Amino acid sequence: MPTFETQTYWDAIEQQRLLVKACKTCGKAHYTPRSHCPHCFSADTHWLPASGHAVVYSWSVANRADPPYVVAYVRLAEGPMMLTNIVGCEPADVHIGQRVQVTFQPDAQGRTRPYFQPTGKDTA
């Protein structure tokens, strides 16, 4: 459920745009959206359009689900880590270092969510 800190983020997701917060004081981007920078605690933050490019940092397959799905941490090109699902490939094909790109799809309740899918180009 959106809050005053995350409403802008969810509005952008509905428009199929990915945003992260960035700190004007220390210059670091962060995810999840919040009013204060988790790096330096400054309240001087702003929204930054994200490229949607990321690399798989870690992943796990929920094999007991029907169908199985991949939960992953991806490192966004802007720096922060994001917890997400990898879609558009077989779970066995996901690997650390894999380049992925954001895609927007409805969840089980019909709400638009950001997921990531392989780009076909690996870092390793």
Side-chain angles (χ1 to χ4, degrees):
M1 174 152 220
T3 66
F4 73 95
E5 290 181 312
T6 64
Q7 187 64 56
T8 300
Y9 172 82
W10 291 113
D11 289 346
I13 294 299
E14 286 296 326
Q15 299 168 10
Q16 298 194 359
R17 295 183 306 119
L18 183 63
L19 299 177
V20 295
K21 278 295 213 66
C23 180
K24 292 181 181 179
T25 302
C26 72
K28 294 182 181 178
H30 58 271
Y31 183 90
T32 58
R34 62 195 90 166
S35 61
H36 287 70
C37 175
H39 305 287
C40 72
F41 307 112
S42 170
D44 195 11
T45 62
H46 66 283
W47 291 101
L48 175 71
S51 68
H53 297 283
V55 175
V56 174
Y57 177 81
S58 180
W59 59 276
S60 182
V61 178
N63 283 310
R64 292 187 181 212
D66 187 20
Y69 62 93
V70 177
V71 177
Y73 274 106
V74 298
R75 183 173 301 279
L76 300 174
E78 293 74 21
M81 295 282 231
M82 181 176 177
L83 183 63
T84 187
N85 294 108
I86 305 296
V87 298
C89 68
E90 292 298 317
D93 293 337
V94 177
H95 57 274
I96 292 171
Q98 187 173 25
R99 291 181 189 257
V100 291
Q101 172 71 38
V102 73
T103 183
F104 299 93
Q105 298 178 11
D107 65 11
Q109 290 76 34
R111 296 173 295 210
T112 302
R113 297 284 186 235
Y115 301 111
F116 285 77
Q117 63 187 9
T119 64
K121 300 176 185 175
D122 283 346
T123 60

